[in-house]
């Protein structure tokens, strides 16, 4: 029985549903695109790569809220059709073990550490960041495009 020290936090279902409503309403900042490659369209709600042919919504998401030095709004995908929110909250999603950078933030939303996992895997970095008492949460991002993937919190 493995006891995890962290909890995966996918985007909330309300955010995915709001993005679907906005896209249907034709909002200019909500683009509907068709995935055309197996590793280019990560859904931040079910935390898996879209299959080629699946319809995705691309929209801006505030991973760090306004009014902070590290405030950040950037593009994320969700499935255009309803999908099930990632539920294995004590397991790092297998689709995103590679090609990610992990960033630790404190309670003031200031970035205090960042690291690309080595062969020990992302859990080793997550656990080390969460052992630092000043860490409030960890963000996972694409190491190439920089886009936000998910948050990780301490259990
Ligand atoms: Zn999805």
């Amino acid at each position: 029985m493995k006891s995890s020290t962290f909890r995966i936090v996918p985007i909330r279902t309300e955010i995915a549903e709001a993005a679907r409503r906005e896209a249907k309403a034709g909002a200019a900042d909500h683009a509907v695109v068709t995935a055309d490659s197996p590793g280019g369209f990560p859904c931040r709600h079910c935390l898996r790569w879209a299959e080629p042919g699946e319809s995705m919504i691309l929209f801006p998401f505030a991973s760090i809220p306004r009014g902070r030095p590290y405030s950040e709004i950037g593009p994320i995908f969700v499935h255009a059709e309803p999908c099930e929110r990632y539920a294995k909250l004590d397991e790092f999603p297998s689709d995103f073990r590679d090609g990610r950078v992990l960033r630790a933030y404190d309670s003031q939303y200031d970035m205090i550490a960042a690291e690309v996992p080595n062969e020990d895997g992302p859990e080793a970095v997550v656990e080390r960041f969460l052992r630092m008492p000043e860490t409030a949460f960890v963000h996972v991002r694409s190491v190439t495009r920089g886009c936000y993937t998910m948050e990780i919190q301490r259990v």
Side-chain angles (χ1 to χ4, degrees), residues 12-25:
R12 288 182 292 115
T13 298
E14 302 91 90
I15 291 175
E17 287 173 346
R20 290 168 188 141
R21 280 196 304 274
E22 291 286 314
K24 275 206 178 78

Side-chain angles (χ1 to χ4, degrees), residues 1-63:
M1 185 80 189
K2 123 182 137 78
S3 68
S4 171
T5 58
F6 61 82
R7 183 176 66 225
I8 302 294
V9 185
I11 62 163
R12 288 182 292 115
T13 298
E14 302 91 90
I15 291 175
E17 287 173 346
R20 290 168 188 141
R21 280 196 304 274
E22 291 286 314
K24 275 206 178 78
D29 60 354
H30 283 59
V32 180
V33 299
T34 302
D36 59 3
S37 67
F41 301 82
C43 178
R44 272 59 159 209
H45 185 244
C46 61
L47 293 180
R48 64 175 186 81
W49 294 110
E51 308 278 349
E54 283 186 307
S55 189
M56 307 297 288
I57 298 166
L58 182 63
F59 68 104
F61 175 72
S63 54

Side-chain angles (χ1 to χ4, degrees), residues 7-10 63 136-140 148-153:
R7 183 176 66 225
I8 302 294
V9 185
S63 54
F137 58 91
V138 173
H139 276 183
V140 179
Y148 174 83
T149 307
M150 62 187 165
E151 183 164 307
I152 301 177
Q153 296 173 354

